[in-house]
Amino acid sequence: GQNIDQPTEMTATEGAIVQINCTYQTSGFNGLFWYQQHAGEAPTFLSYNVLDGLEEKGRFSSFLSRSKGYSYLLLKELQMKDSASYLCAAYNNAGNMLTFGGGTRLMVKP
Amino acid sequence: GAVVSQHPSWVICKSGTSVKIECRSLDFQATTMFWYRQFPKQSLMLMATSNEGSKATYEQGVEKDKFLINHASLTLSTLTVTSAHPEDSSFYICSAMTGYEQYFGPGTRLTVT
């Protein structure tokens, strides 16, 4: 079966750094996606990790440890517009499926 | 970049009627498209996986006779909500796959009165 866990809500201050964790247990794992979703909108792609390690893309970085079934999304220099839900999703290459976690609602405060 | 469109973006219909939602990949061919449903403050829930030219694979608990999916071409998949009821009111999102990446449509907000 598939099981994806991430915190439900987080709060952080503008300008700070926040780390959103995601643990997964899934068969046929072939990569971990992070998406950002603002209220009332469809998700937008942030990152895709297949290999272990950290990938940096501007203010956002994503880390994966396949042996631990663990990933995190790191957001630096937080801005108010970063307030959104962040979804991690495990890619299963058997059937080309994405299994989503419940999403983490991040609130950035001044 | 890859673009996926959905039509309509929002629709209001009366209970008992049917509604068709279109999902198109505009600048790429997608052999696989996915249909998701999202209720307020909840994550995406996969409804079905749609492969071009074959029957859709539905997730457990999703009624295939109620949610009709047709994937007639490599750029178009449709979801028809038949005999809609107020509990079907939701945000319906499609995505299309190219390589490892899934690109999401903007979503369709369905309200059944």
Side-chain angles (χ1 to χ4, degrees), chain B residues 6-49:
Chain B
Q6 270 184 253
H7 178 80
S9 55
W10 61 271
V11 58
I12 302 172
C13 70
K14 293 186 176 180
S15 186
T17 61
S18 295
V19 174
K20 179 185 283 189
I21 303 170
E22 291 187 351
C23 177
R24 294 181 184 270
S25 55
L26 298 185
D27 51 2
F28 67 99
Q29 292 183 331
T31 54
T32 304
M33 289 186 173
F34 301 87
W35 286 96
Y36 296 88
R37 180 167 52 182
Q38 187 175 36
F39 293 106
K41 297 185 179 182
Q42 295 186 23
S43 189
L44 298 174
M45 292 183 59
L46 180 66
M47 298 177 67
T49 302

Side-chain angles (χ1 to χ4, degrees), chain B residues 84-111:
Chain B
H85 289 101
E87 56 264 32
D88 297 326
S89 298
S90 187
F91 192 41
Y92 291 86
I93 305 172
C94 73
S95 70
M97 171 160 265
T98 174
Y100 284 117
E101 182 54 89
Q102 283 195 21
Y103 294 92
F104 287 88
T108 297
R109 190 163 301 283
L110 170 64
T111 301

Side-chain angles (χ1 to χ4, degrees), chain A residues 40-57:
Chain A
E41 300 179 10
T44 56
F45 169 79
L46 289 178
S47 66
Y48 176 50
N49 292 66
V50 179
L51 303 176
D52 286 357
L54 183 70
E55 292 198 8
E56 298 184 65
K57 192 182 296 184

Side-chain angles (χ1 to χ4, degrees), chain A residues 77-99:
Chain A
E77 301 171 16
L78 280 172
Q79 301 175 8
M80 298 299 291
K81 66 178 182 179
D82 297 330
S83 293
S85 285
Y86 292 87
L87 308 172
C88 69
Y91 178 60
N92 179 335
N93 61 6
N96 292 330
M97 282 185 58
L98 267 185
T99 302

